[in-house]
């Protein structure tokens, strides 16, 4: 299995298109950091316009933690598309090149073969996320310093102490890894049905875009069913940036407001991974690749 | 003659003593609103600067913030800053000057005696201050002054821009300087707006807080120690 995985990883990282995502992430993060470095005060004024009309802000809300939060909010909607570029190509790419039949003639079970391919695409997603963490979190901390984080939502403002944030980011990145692997498994699932990678890539992107739009729309009908969309749970990483409150309404540092809900969301994503990957293996094991 | 003497001398002394008490009593009562304010100000003028260490609690329905360790810096005449130890805080506009000294910064007001009342069991004189300047943001300040100890126990300030806010002070070991151990700053959250959500928000199913509707917000600062008149530089306040 390890040998198979090494071969698949070699294939993934040999392809130039794999590095498109890393370059794209670097470009996006650098541009956001540059823009905030040059014009951060104006950006903060825009973000906190309504707040600043009525409140004085003490401390430095424009710090590395805040920049990373902005980057994650921006990237984690779009990175799935970059992940789909690789995962949706895993089987379809082989079919396109005509190497799929050759591959399954090897003395390895189809299940093992698919598992190694899926794991390679999952590892790719995790490495991409580590790249985001290095650029988005650590580099931002080095450039902008650290302080408290102000998480402004539409109905509340959550303020986190500076010493209560780093561990939340670690958890958030861990959660984001599950979210990206979910996308990876979806792309992988579509991949077994196509003979070239374009179809599964577009299909994966379309599902994400449609579900995200439906999640965003404030129409009651969609509100009722949005719990069933995996895209609704992909933003569960934000749950790590909320705190429990005591009887007096004071936030308790070191807590997560609704950990069971966050874990439930993570569980739903894991279930999607299991269903997509399991279905892909089940279908592929019965697939006639000779015709 | 002796009988007359023994009758008149005690009577005279009684009259004199009674007159003296009446004089003293009337002089206390005659302490006008202006005089009282002047005396309170004179007491607070002993403080040129201070650094106070304390904890700040923000109790606003739409702000979720933990208790923060803070340091307050004050320098005469009106420089005041609050700094947080590792974090960000929100204080209502006008609330940054959550200090007693700021209440009596200007001399251009008319003080009106509004009688006597009680604050937390302490008898207080109620003085209303009307600013003389038309450009002043403050419309009216009502002060509840502990006349005996020359301490402002409570104040209520109505402003043109920031609504009405109340300050309640509790005094302890720094009472001789006129500095409170605890300040509770309350304000109306009716007009406060929230930022618009920019990106997708995670809904964990928790009950959403009721949006501000005539709700009172509170900022409570409990000071544990003051360093008084040891010098505060402008750099410390930045």
């Amino acid at each position: 299995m390890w040998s198979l995985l090494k071969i698949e990883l070699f294939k993934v990282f040999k392809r130039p298109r794999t590095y498109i995502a890393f370059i794209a992430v670097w470009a996006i993060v650098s541009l956001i950091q540059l823009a905030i470095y040059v014009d951060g005060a104006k950006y903060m004024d825009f973000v906190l316009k309504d707040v600043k009309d009525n409140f004085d802000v003490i401390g430095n809300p424009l710090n590395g933690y805040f920049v990373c939060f902005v980057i994650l909010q921006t990237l984690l909607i779009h990175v799935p598309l970059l992940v789909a570029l690789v995962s949706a190509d895993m089987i379809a790419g082989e079919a396109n090149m005509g190497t799929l039949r050759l591959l399954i003639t090897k003395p390895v079970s189809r299940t093992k073969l698919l598992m190694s391919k899926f794991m390679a695409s999952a590892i790719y997603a995790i490495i991409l996320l580590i790249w985001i963490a290095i650029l988005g979190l650590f580099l931002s901390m080095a450039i902008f310093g650290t302080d408290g984080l102000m998480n402004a939502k539409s109905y509340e403002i959550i303020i986190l102490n500076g010493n209560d944030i780093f561990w939340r980011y670690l958890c958030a990145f861990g959660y984001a890894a599950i979210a990206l692997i979910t996308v990876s498994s979806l792309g992988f699932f579509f991949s077994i049905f196509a003979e070239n990678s374009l179809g599964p890539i577009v299909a994966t992107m379309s599902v994400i875009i449609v579900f995200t739009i439906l999640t965003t729309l404030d129409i009651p009908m969609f509100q009722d069913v949005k719990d069933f969309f995996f895209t609704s749970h992909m933003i569960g990483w934000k749950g790590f940036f909320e705190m429990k409150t005591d009887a007096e309404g004071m936030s308790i540092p070191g807590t997560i407001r609704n950990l069971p809900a966050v874990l439930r969301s993570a569980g739903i994503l894991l279930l999607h991974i299991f269903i997509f990957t399991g279905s892909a293996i089940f279908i592929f094991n019965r697939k006639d690749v000779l015709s | 003659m002796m009988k007359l003497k023994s009758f008149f001398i005690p009577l005279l002394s009684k009259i004199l003593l009674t007159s003296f008490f009446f004089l003293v009593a009337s002089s206390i009562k005659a302490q006008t609103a202006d005089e009282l304010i002047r005396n309170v100000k004179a007491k607070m003028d002993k403080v040129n600067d201070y650094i106070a260490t304390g904890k700040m609690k923000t109790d606003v329905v739409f702000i979720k913030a933990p208790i923060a360790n803070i340091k307050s810096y004050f320098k005469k005449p009106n420089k005041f800053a609050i700094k947080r130890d590792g974090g960000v805080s929100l204080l209502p506009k006008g609330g940054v000057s959550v200090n007693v000294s700021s209440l009596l910064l200007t001399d251009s007001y008319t003080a009106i005696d509004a009688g006597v009342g009680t604050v937390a069991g302490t008898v207080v004189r109620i003085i209303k201050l009307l600013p003389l300047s038309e450009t002043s943001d403050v419309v009216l300040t009502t002060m509840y002054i502990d006349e005996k100890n020359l301490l402002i126990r409570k104040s209520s300030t109505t402003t043109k821009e920031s609504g009405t806010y109340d300050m309640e002070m509790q005094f302890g070991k720094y009472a001789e300087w006129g500095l409170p151990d605890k300040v509770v700053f309350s304000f109306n959250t009716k007009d406060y707006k929230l930022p618009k959500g920019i990106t997708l928000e995670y809904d964990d199913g928790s009950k959403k807080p009721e949006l501000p509707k005539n709700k009172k917000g509170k900022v409570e600062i409990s000071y544990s120690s003051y360093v008084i008149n040891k010098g505060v530089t402008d750099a410390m306040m930045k």
Side-chain angles (χ1 to χ4, degrees):
Chain A
M1 186 70 183
W2 174 234
S3 306
L4 280 174
L5 181 59
K6 276 200 290 189
I7 292 166
E8 291 307 325
L9 283 172
F10 176 75
K11 280 189 210 166
V12 167
F13 285 97
K14 197 186 74 176
R15 275 189 298 243
R17 82 163 67 165
T18 302
Y19 299 96
I20 293 172
F22 289 90
I23 294 166
V25 165
W26 168 77
I28 296 164
V29 172
S30 300
L31 285 172
I32 292 172
Q33 285 170 338
L34 178 70
I36 292 179
Y37 190 79
V38 174
D39 242 350
K42 279 186 192 164
Y43 178 70
M44 281 311 283
D45 283 345
F46 167 72
V47 173
L48 300 173
K49 190 185 171 301
D50 290 336
V51 176
K52 279 193 166 176
D53 282 350
N54 304 302
F55 291 91
D56 288 308
V57 181
I58 297 171
N60 175 26
L62 186 64
N63 58 67
Y65 290 139
F66 175 77
V67 174
C68 184
F69 202 79
V70 172
I71 288 168
L72 285 187
Q73 288 200 119
T74 314
L75 275 182
L76 289 183
I77 297 171
H78 302 106
V79 166
L81 308 181
L82 299 173
V83 169
L85 281 177
V86 168
S87 63
D89 187 51
M90 292 306 281
I91 307 291
E94 298 274 5
N96 190 32
M97 287 187 293
T99 51
L100 187 62
R101 285 179 199 171
L102 189 70
L103 201 63
I104 53 176
T105 55
K106 284 185 177 180
V108 182
S109 73
R110 286 189 185 190
T111 304
K112 271 190 177 173
L113 184 72
L114 256 72
M115 275 308 290
S116 64
K117 280 189 172 293
F118 168 70
M119 280 166 71
S121 65
I123 289 170
Y124 162 75
I126 291 168
I127 292 173
L128 190 60
L129 204 62
I130 292 170
W131 181 237
I132 296 171
I134 291 169
L135 294 178
L137 180 61
F138 294 106
L139 191 61
S140 296
M141 282 165 72
I143 296 171
F144 298 96
T146 56
D147 204 345
L149 176 70
M150 208 149 76
N151 176 11
K153 300 176 77 176
S154 60
Y155 57 89
E156 65 183 351
I157 299 164
I158 300 160
I159 297 171
L160 298 155
N161 284 342
N163 58 6
D164 187 32
I165 302 175
F166 190 75
W167 71 272
R168 293 178 191 273
Y169 270 116
L170 293 181
C171 295
F173 275 107
Y175 188 99
I178 298 173
L180 289 187
I181 293 170
T182 308
V183 174
S184 198
S185 65
L186 178 66
F188 188 72
F189 173 72
F190 284 138
S191 179
I192 62 162
F193 298 105
E195 301 253 315
N196 70 64
S197 51
L198 196 63
I201 291 169
V202 173
T204 312
M205 286 179 175
S206 303
V207 169
I208 294 167
I209 291 167
V210 169
F211 279 7
T212 304
I213 290 171
L214 293 183
T215 311
T216 322
L217 284 176
D218 271 340
I219 297 171
M221 189 181 90
F222 297 136
Q223 293 299 308
D224 294 339
V225 293
K226 76 174 185 182
D227 201 34
F228 296 103
F229 303 152
F230 69 91
T231 46
S232 305
H233 302 283
M234 281 177 66
I235 49 172
W237 63 273
K238 290 187 175 181
F240 290 106
F241 294 89
E242 298 181 2
M243 286 178 289
K244 274 184 185 165
T245 49
D246 62 18
E248 289 181 10
M250 289 294 116
S251 295
I252 308 167
T255 61
I256 295 162
R257 174 151 63 191
N258 197 345
L259 185 60
V262 176
L263 294 177
R264 180 178 164 271
S265 287
I268 290 170
L269 292 178
L270 287 170
L271 187 67
H272 275 84
I273 294 170
F274 179 76
I275 291 169
F276 289 143
T277 314
S279 305
I281 291 168
F282 180 80
I283 295 165
F284 191 76
N285 274 330
R286 279 149 188 81
K287 195 175 179 187
D288 177 13
V289 289
L290 297 172
S291 57
Chain B
M1 189 64 187
M2 275 300 281
K3 225 177 184 182
L4 263 175
K5 220 177 182 179
S6 65
F7 174 73
F8 274 111
I9 287 174
L11 181 68
L12 201 67
S13 59
K14 270 182 187 167
I15 289 169
L16 274 173
L17 206 63
T18 314
S19 313
F20 176 74
F21 276 123
F22 269 113
L23 200 70
V24 171
S26 62
S27 73
I28 288 170
K29 213 166 190 157
Q31 182 169 254
T32 62
D34 277 320
E35 283 167 346
L36 182 56
I37 296 286
R38 253 199 315 272
N39 289 337
V40 171
K41 200 174 175 199
K43 179 175 184 170
M44 292 192 330
D45 273 348
K46 289 193 293 180
V47 179
N48 293 317
D49 56 67
Y50 68 72
I51 301 171
T53 309
K55 288 192 183 294
M56 184 169 78
K57 257 166 91 171
T58 308
D59 181 11
V60 180
V61 71
F62 55 89
I63 296 177
K64 301 285 172 228
I67 292 172
N69 293 321
I70 57 142
K71 271 198 168 145
S72 294
Y73 298 84
F74 170 75
K75 193 179 172 186
K76 251 185 183 173
N78 61 347
K79 285 190 174 168
F80 185 76
I82 292 179
K83 280 190 182 179
R84 250 195 83 143
D85 183 14
V88 181
S89 278
L90 294 176
L91 275 181
K93 284 247 185 242
V96 165
S97 52
V98 188
N99 74 108
V100 187
S101 312
S102 68
L103 294 171
L104 297 170
L105 270 178
T106 171
D107 289 326
S108 55
Y109 53 75
T110 302
I112 301 166
D113 201 332
V116 179
T118 53
V119 172
T122 308
V123 178
V124 290
R125 282 272 299 279
I126 304 169
I127 310 285
K128 289 188 183 286
L129 301 180
L130 289 164
L132 298 176
S133 167
E134 284 179 13
T135 54
S136 166
D137 183 45
V138 175
V139 179
L140 171 72
T141 302
T142 307
M143 288 197 180
Y144 302 78
I145 299 172
D146 176 351
E147 196 174 6
K148 193 178 140 200
N149 298 305
L150 295 176
L151 296 170
I152 303 168
R153 296 274 176 188
K154 189 182 164 187
S155 77
S156 177
T157 306
T158 304
T159 63
K160 286 175 193 163
E161 297 291 328
S162 316
T164 299
Y165 52 86
D166 297 331
M167 263 166 70
E168 217 169 315
M169 274 76 67
Q170 287 172 22
F171 294 87
K173 48 188 174 174
Y174 296 95
E176 58 174 310
W177 297 93
L179 296 172
D181 283 6
K182 189 175 178 182
V183 180
V184 180
F185 182 88
S186 8
F187 55 99
N188 210 325
T189 60
K190 183 177 77 171
D191 299 323
Y192 290 120
K193 282 181 256 166
L194 285 162
K196 301 276 178 293
I198 298 169
T199 51
L200 288 171
E201 284 179 13
Y202 177 60
D203 183 6
D204 64 3
S206 301
K207 195 182 163 214
K208 310 245 176 328
E210 209 181 312
L211 285 173
K213 277 184 211 157
N214 286 322
K215 288 230 168 186
K216 280 270 180 191
K218 260 197 317 189
V219 174
E220 204 176 292
I221 302 177
S222 301
Y223 291 113
S224 52
S225 67
Y226 283 91
V227 178
I228 302 163
N229 294 343
K230 298 282 182 205
V232 170
T233 61
D234 289 346
M236 286 172 166
M237 297 178 131
K238 277 179 190 164

